[in-house]
Amino acid sequence: MAKLSQDDLLAQFEEMTLIELSEFVKAFEEKFDVTAAAAVAVAAPGAPGAPVEQAEEKDEFDVILTGAGDKKIQVIKVVRELTSLGLKEAKDLVDGTPKPVLEKVAKDAAEKAAEALKGAGASVEVK
């Protein structure tokens, strides 16, 4: 039997379905008494149609008001500045803590909003 190169073997694997490839791996493990768990993980991304997931950096943050503190009126004013809420809506938001003040905003905007709310005496989380 002629010896196949690595490229020839890969070409053969590309033509196989995932089920056929899985059966091949099981047969290979039984024949040579090995475990090919790492090889399967490496071979799977190269298979046609297999999604390759990238770890994405979080780019949307929520600013959550967890407490109004002693200066509730100042916090309400800051909430009104950060949002387009009216006086009653902003007061209801501050009274109903924990509640999100801003949702899905950029990191810089979330940090600025958190600093403004902390400056007014509020407790804030950025998630």
Side-chain angles (χ1 to χ4, degrees):
M1 181 173 163
K3 185 174 179 180
L4 296 174
S5 71
Q6 193 173 21
D7 291 334
D8 293 336
L9 286 171
L10 289 174
Q12 290 297 316
F13 290 138
E14 285 180 345
E15 294 176 11
M16 297 174 91
T17 65
L18 288 177
I19 294 172
E20 292 170 334
L21 188 58
S22 174
E23 290 171 356
F24 170 77
V25 170
K26 288 177 187 174
F28 187 89
E29 289 174 340
E30 290 174 11
K31 171 93 174 163
F32 296 104
D33 194 29
V34 294
T35 302
V40 172
V42 171
V52 177
E53 294 184 22
Q54 298 280 336
E56 293 184 24
E57 186 176 327
K58 187 173 179 178
D59 60 351
E60 292 182 339
F61 296 86
D62 295 341
V63 179
I64 300 173
L65 181 67
T66 57
D70 295 336
K71 300 178 183 177
K72 188 170 154 182
I73 294 173
Q74 294 297 335
V75 174
I76 292 171
K77 288 180 181 178
V78 172
V79 168
R80 290 192 65 204
E81 290 172 10
L82 294 173
T83 64
S84 61
L85 296 176
L87 181 61
K88 181 178 180 345
E89 292 85 4
K91 182 183 177 302
D92 291 344
L93 187 142
V94 172
D95 287 340
T97 58
K99 289 223 174 165
V101 177
L102 298 173
E103 295 178 319
K104 298 181 180 178
V105 295
K107 185 176 183 177
D108 293 338
E111 289 174 353
K112 287 179 184 176
E115 288 300 318
L117 287 164
K118 287 178 184 175
S123 303
V124 180
E125 285 183 14
V126 177
K127 293 185 179 182

